[in-house]
Amino acid sequence: LYMYDRITIAPNSKWSAPIFTVTEDPDPDSMVMITLVWTDPAASSSCAKCLMHDLDLEVTVNGNRVLPNLGPTPNATGFSGVPDMINNIEKVNLWYPMIKSGDIVEIVVTSDGLAVSDSQDFALVITADDSLAASVAPSASPTTVSPTIAPDCESTCFGQTCDDWSDSCQELEESYNCDCRGCDCPDAPTVAPTDGPTTPATDGATDD
């Protein structure tokens, strides 16, 4: 068991846990569980995006990122989905043969945005058997990093890019689990349909 409590992080910062080495194949009946938790500031009762302080748990195995909570579109390996932007508890489970002897596991906590204050405390707990050993000490304190440049708009919303739809990016992400990073969506959300986003917008279209 490894536990790091009351770690304070600032906006656009990151904190690194120890670098772990898998010293032997884990027991097939057990899992390595990595859990990030923080107390999020209260949001408005009418909020559309209710997570005020968006922290992200970034776990990589030999450079391959494992998304917390398995993302909304998991597969059997866990290497799938999109980052969690809804919950203030994020968890990654690792199991054999997802991890095996000789693998390197790196764990980073980042602060994507802090809407209410200039800092956020969090706790990180790692539950593992003797197959996981820390090889490098954790960072003494979070380090500030420059905000990452948004990637190009990805075709991850019902087979089309998010900016092809008349819904806002926020509506597409929260209601349909689309990945709208880097997309230029309309500002105002439309009425949510029951089975998917509204029809694609056309160039020069205006609201009546």
Side-chain angles (χ1 to χ4, degrees), residues 7-10 13-16 109 111 120 122 139-144:
I7 304 295
T8 301
I9 195 167
S13 299
K14 69 177 180 179
W15 176 87
S16 300
V109 176
S111 57
Q120 174 65 53
F122 67 85
S139 57
S141 61
T143 56
T144 301

Side-chain angles (χ1 to χ4, degrees), residues 7-32:
I7 304 295
T8 301
I9 195 167
N12 299 316
S13 299
K14 69 177 180 179
W15 176 87
S16 300
I19 296 176
F20 290 91
T21 300
V22 182
T23 57
E24 60 185 61
D25 288 345
D27 186 331
D29 295 326
S30 67
M31 289 191 296
V32 174

Side-chain angles (χ1 to χ4, degrees), residues 182-200:
C183 300
D184 184 19
C185 302
D187 293 332
T190 59
V191 177
T194 57
D195 57 356
T198 55
T199 55

Side-chain angles (χ1 to χ4, degrees), residues 21-202:
T21 300
V22 182
T23 57
E24 60 185 61
D25 288 345
D27 186 331
D29 295 326
S30 67
M31 289 191 296
V32 174
M33 294 178 288
I34 305 165
T35 306
L36 168 68
V37 61
W38 68 98
T39 301
D40 197 56
S44 166
S45 59
S46 59
C47 61
K49 179 177 173 54
C50 298
L51 187 65
M52 296 290 96
H53 288 181
D54 185 11
L55 304 188
D56 286 313
L57 174 61
E58 300 182 2
V59 178
T60 59
V61 179
N62 298 331
N64 296 309
R65 185 174 178 184
V66 188
L67 289 156
N69 304 337
L70 286 181
T73 54
N75 61 23
T77 66
F79 295 103
S80 183
V82 297
D84 188 326
M85 297 180 290
I86 299 174
N87 301 296
N88 64 323
I89 299 176
E90 298 191 3
K91 185 176 182 180
V92 166
N93 292 335
L94 305 174
W95 58 88
Y96 180 83
M98 190 178 182
I99 56 172
K100 53 189 180 301
S101 179
D103 286 349
I104 301 297
V105 179
E106 298 180 71
I107 304 166
V108 172
V109 176
T110 64
S111 57
D112 183 44
L114 305 182
V116 176
S117 65
D118 58 2
S119 65
Q120 174 65 53
D121 289 350
F122 67 85
L124 182 77
V125 178
I126 305 167
T127 305
D129 57 22
D130 295 336
S131 64
L132 199 68
S135 55
V136 176
S139 57
S141 61
T143 56
T144 301
V145 294
S146 299
T148 55
I149 298 175
D152 291 337
C153 188
E154 300 180 13
S155 300
T156 56
C157 192
F158 295 85
Q160 300 186 58
T161 59
C162 292
D163 47 14
D164 283 336
W165 300 100
S166 57
D167 303 68
S168 69
C169 280
Q170 180 175 300
E171 181 76 17
L172 293 171
E173 289 180 335
E174 293 183 355
S175 299
Y176 309 110
N177 290 324
C178 296
D179 183 0
C180 295
R181 291 171 296 173
C183 300
D184 184 19
C185 302
D187 293 332
T190 59
V191 177
T194 57
D195 57 356
T198 55
T199 55
T202 58

